Amino acid sequence: MSSDTILLAGVIGHPITHSKSPILHGHWLKRYGIKGHYIPMDVSSVNLPHVLNNLPKMGFRGVNITIPHKENVLDIADVISDRAALIGAANTLTFQSDGKLHADNTDGFGFIANLKQEAPGWDPKAGPALVLGAGGASRAIVAALLHEQVPEIILTNRTRARADALKAHFGGKIKVVDWTQAASHLDEATTLVNTTSLGMTGKEDLKFNLDALTPKTLVTDIVYNPLITPLLAQAQDRGCFTVDGLGMLLHQAAPGFERWFGRAPQVDAELRRAVLE
């Protein structure tokens, strides 16, 4: 690669204006003095295959994929990582030098990296994890927790059938409980994870009874707007260690940045401030 090459990457979704990815990748590009650009692109499902076929010809090294394309993109990819195949979705695409499209999922990596950075004393093997929600984010987080050897995952979702489908996919360490009964399992859990959008600004509140929550449970929420969700605020009031969801967003971006721009980026307080501004 010549020294005057301008490296290109971006993020594809529909819509895309809400994405924080251009801010965080832009921060890294500036910090490391890399000649490159990270571009948000609003692409419909109909146009997605055509766009992905043409981006490499325009000099792009890869793209992040967000809603609603994370599942569909696996039908377009040439090479799919084990974790993307296990989760059934991809968020990080790399255009390889051999012309093939490589699809990966770094959401679970980002979730675990955030917990390890913000709660270094967290021991995934210490006890069960209670996971709220059974959507796409939940699939990535359940896969990551199982990889970290959490002994059991107590899974609940407002629509039970979706939770049952995750158990069928991931197997024996998943125990599905009804949403109305899930709070009674709080005293068993050493980790509590909200993978739903409930509690996010503009969404419904997360109505979940925390009376049985004890300080032994680490509580984390993948929602980061607001940064301290009602769930995290209530958990803090009960003496729990809490981890907000912003770090998951930041850490999931790092593998793609390294692949496309050739530098392993740091996730630190400076990056958090840049994304929150």
Side-chain angles (χ1 to χ4, degrees):
M1 191 192 319
S2 67
S3 59
D4 59 353
T5 299
I6 296 176
L7 304 174
L8 298 176
V11 57
I12 291 176
H14 184 61
I16 201 60
T17 50
H18 66 283
S19 176
K20 301 272 190 190
S21 294
I23 298 170
L24 73 96
H25 284 275
H27 175 84
W28 281 331
L29 288 169
K30 186 175 179 183
R31 175 191 285 188
Y32 300 121
I34 295 170
K35 284 200 293 186
H37 298 283
Y38 184 95
I39 300 159
M41 292 170 273
D42 190 327
V43 177
S44 69
S45 298
V46 173
N47 289 329
L48 185 64
H50 178 72
V51 169
L52 291 176
N53 185 50
N54 282 285
L55 285 177
K57 301 168 190 173
M58 298 160 62
F60 278 78
R61 310 294 297 275
V63 289
N64 286 122
I65 295 289
T66 188
I67 295 169
H69 304 313
K70 285 180 159 188
E71 290 84 18
N72 299 341
V73 78
L74 294 184
D75 296 330
I76 303 168
D78 301 299
V79 183
I80 300 170
S81 73
D82 289 346
R83 57 189 177 185
L86 179 65
I87 294 162
N91 71 332
T92 304
L93 305 184
T94 303
F95 304 124
Q96 297 182 167
S97 56
D98 60 5
K100 290 185 175 175
L101 175 58
H102 179 274
D104 192 12
N105 192 309
T106 64
D107 283 333
F109 164 84
F111 172 78
I112 296 295
N114 183 37
L115 285 189
K116 289 182 174 178
Q117 183 175 51
E118 300 298 326
W122 176 66
D123 178 10
K125 300 176 187 175
L130 176 54
V131 176
L132 311 182
S138 178
R139 291 176 78 95
I141 286 166
V142 165
L145 288 169
L146 291 173
H147 185 262
E148 293 295 316
Q149 298 180 308
V150 168
E152 182 182 47
I153 292 175
I154 304 164
L155 182 66
T156 189
N157 192 61
R158 289 193 295 181
T159 306
R160 175 161 180 145
R162 294 192 75 178
D164 287 333
L166 252 71
K167 177 177 173 61
H169 184 74
F170 286 107
K173 287 188 176 181
I174 313 287
K175 178 169 82 173
V176 175
V177 297
D178 286 336
W179 184 261
T180 54
Q181 301 299 315
S184 66
H185 294 271
L186 274 171
D187 60 340
E188 302 168 46
T190 55
T191 308
L192 171 63
V193 189
N194 175 38
T195 75
T196 76
S197 61
L198 298 173
M200 184 187 293
T201 301
K203 301 280 188 178
E204 285 181 65
D205 291 337
L206 173 62
K207 296 181 177 70
F208 197 76
N209 187 335
L210 296 179
D211 288 350
L213 186 65
T214 66
K216 78 172 191 297
T217 304
L218 178 140
V219 181
T220 186
D221 198 325
I222 70 164
V223 171
Y224 57 85
N225 182 19
L227 201 59
I228 303 301
T229 62
L231 172 66
L232 296 184
Q234 291 173 58
Q236 288 170 4
D237 289 344
R238 285 167 169 75
C240 296
F241 196 97
T242 63
V243 178
D244 67 58
L246 183 61
M248 177 179 169
L249 172 77
L250 307 182
H251 282 285
Q252 64 80 31
F257 186 90
E258 183 174 4
R259 288 169 201 168
W260 309 325
F261 297 113
R263 174 78 184 251
Q266 274 188 299
V267 174
D268 55 16
E270 186 185 337
L271 178 67
R272 282 178 66 92
R273 282 194 300 271
V275 172
L276 287 171
E277 279 177 4

